Amino acid sequence: MKPVAPSEVEQRLERLRLACRNTGMRMTHQRLEIFREVAQSNEHPDAETIFKRVREKMPTISHDTVYRTLASLEEMGLVDRVETMAGRARYDANPDCHHHFVCTRCGSIADFYLDQAPSLPEGIENLGSAESLHVQVRGICHNCKNN
Amino acid sequence: MKPVAPSEVEQRLERLRLACRNTGMRMTHQRLEIFREVAQSNEHPDAETIFKRVREKMPTISHDTVYRTLASLEEMGLVDRVETMAGRARYDANPDCHHHFVCTRCGSIADFYLDQAPSLPEGIENLGSAESLHVQVRGICHNCKNN
DNA sequence: TCTCTAGATAGGAATTGTTCTTATATAGGA
DNA sequence: TCCTATATAAGAACAATTCCTATCTAGAGA
């Protein structure tokens, strides 16, 4: 999987700086490094993976900080949490509208884009007010199929 | 939310009996009662809820049996596990192709049906071989909106 | 630049959801 | 009815996440 382009990473980091300024949330080293890990990865890392990577640079980082920060970033709309069937939540800093292909064998997640949003049925507003739509395709990824 | 029609519940139980006969899996009281709880509910109960309800009839039922049985039923294709953002897995015995509206406030889940499956983009087969497609609409349900 | 303080962190304990272990029980075929 | 592979109960263990609290610090204001 090709890495996120450096210019794109920089744009994402800029969004973090802006969001901190706008919401009054402090821009700590921890937040910067945690967000950077998500922003520069296409592989939708889980909290433990992020924890391990950040710890290379900041050996005293705690699990709590990683979880708390990811929750804040999610609340600010800077990252999305992706739920799969595999127990651990995965994180995603791609701000464009997209969907996920989830490999049910290895758990890898890949983004894809829909040309047009699926048309929801008439009665959907009887259920509540929709805020977001998530399409998840599950199957076996090529890497697993070839092994 | 209206309950599942008794005739539909009976059909679902019949599918369980058939599946047990076909796969050689034993038809125990515990399995029957656990499946019945999922089959007769529209509310996509989680394992703990199922555990509590079954315990009314079978006071010695264990958590392990509930989890193990739900996993077996899922493997046999008799129930689906629904992942939401809320930590606990939810279960569903509706065998028809359907999708979910998830309330992000109270966690309630409602089924809806799509007239036609969303058309996946050209390149999707480059990611892997798709096996199932899940559309989840998130928002605030009417019950929450009015409180 | 220095000070101050509300908000953030580290470290470990606690909690929650789920799975494992093992002794006992039972479904269903012979 | 008997036999045995399979399933269960009970509680321990595990894994992911959150809580607790003493300490620290970003960033506003002097």
Side-chain angles (χ1 to χ4, degrees):
Chain A
M1 192 166 322
K2 70 177 82 148
V4 179
S7 64
E8 174 64 25
V9 175
E10 194 43 55
Q11 273 180 44
R12 292 177 180 180
L13 291 172
E14 190 51 38
R15 290 178 72 226
L16 171 65
R17 291 185 197 100
L18 256 171
C20 283
R21 222 165 295 151
N22 291 339
T23 64
M25 174 184 253
R26 290 183 186 166
M27 180 67 169
T28 64
H29 298 307
Q30 288 87 341
R31 280 180 183 153
L32 179 61
E33 293 309 323
I34 289 165
F35 181 69
R36 191 202 303 280
E37 281 305 332
V38 186
Q40 72 189 8
S41 167
N42 264 328
E43 67 191 8
H44 308 76
D46 60 32
E48 183 65 19
T49 301
I50 296 164
F51 170 74
K52 282 182 185 147
R53 290 185 186 161
V54 171
R55 197 173 46 177
E56 314 256 305
K57 299 174 183 171
M58 310 181 74
T60 64
I61 192 86
S62 70
H63 278 98
D64 181 54
T65 299
V66 173
Y67 281 100
R68 204 168 10 77
T69 299
L70 288 169
S72 309
L73 293 172
E74 190 191 0
E75 209 169 340
M76 291 196 291
L78 291 164
V79 304
D80 281 324
R81 190 151 43 116
V82 185
E83 293 287 328
T84 70
M85 313 293 281
R88 336 157 79 126
R90 307 276 293 262
Y91 292 87
D92 179 348
N94 180 351
D96 299 325
C97 175
H98 67 282
H99 302 281
H100 295 115
F101 180 97
V102 179
C103 178
T104 52
R105 193 169 301 165
C106 71
S108 69
I109 301 177
D111 292 348
F112 69 85
Y113 298 82
L114 285 182
D115 298 331
Q116 57 196 63
S119 58
L120 297 178
E122 290 290 318
I124 193 86
E125 64 274 2
N126 296 332
L127 302 179
S129 57
E131 287 175 353
S132 64
L133 182 135
H134 307 261
V135 179
Q136 202 173 95
V137 173
R138 295 185 195 139
I140 307 293
C141 74
H142 277 316
N143 201 29
C144 283
K145 188 135 279 179
N146 301 331
N147 292 323
Chain B
M1 191 168 322
K2 70 177 83 146
V4 179
S7 64
E8 174 63 25
V9 174
E10 194 43 55
Q11 273 180 43
R12 293 178 180 179
L13 291 172
E14 190 51 38
R15 290 179 70 228
L16 171 65
R17 291 187 197 99
L18 255 172
C20 282
R21 221 165 296 151
N22 292 338
T23 65
M25 174 184 251
R26 290 183 186 165
M27 180 69 168
T28 63
H29 298 307
Q30 288 86 341
R31 280 180 183 153
L32 178 62
E33 292 310 322
I34 289 165
F35 181 70
R36 191 204 302 281
E37 281 304 332
V38 186
Q40 72 190 9
S41 167
N42 264 326
E43 67 191 8
H44 307 78
D46 60 31
E48 182 65 21
T49 302
I50 296 163
F51 170 73
K52 283 182 185 148
R53 290 184 186 161
V54 172
R55 196 172 46 177
E56 313 257 306
K57 299 174 184 173
M58 310 182 74
T60 65
I61 191 86
S62 71
H63 277 99
D64 183 54
T65 298
V66 173
Y67 281 100
R68 205 168 12 76
T69 299
L70 289 169
S72 310
L73 293 172
E74 189 190 0
E75 210 169 339
M76 290 195 292
L78 290 166
V79 304
D80 281 325
R81 189 152 43 117
V82 185
E83 292 288 326
T84 68
M85 315 292 281
R88 335 157 79 125
R90 307 276 292 262
Y91 293 87
D92 180 347
N94 180 351
D96 300 325
C97 174
H98 66 283
H99 302 280
H100 294 117
F101 179 97
V102 178
C103 177
T104 53
R105 194 169 300 166
C106 71
S108 69
I109 301 177
D111 292 349
F112 68 86
Y113 299 82
L114 285 181
D115 298 332
Q116 57 196 68
S119 59
L120 297 177
E122 290 291 319
I124 194 85
E125 65 274 3
N126 296 332
L127 301 179
S129 59
E131 288 175 352
S132 64
L133 182 135
H134 306 261
V135 178
Q136 203 172 95
V137 173
R138 295 183 196 140
I140 307 293
C141 73
H142 277 317
N143 201 28
C144 283
K145 188 136 280 178
N146 300 333
N147 293 323

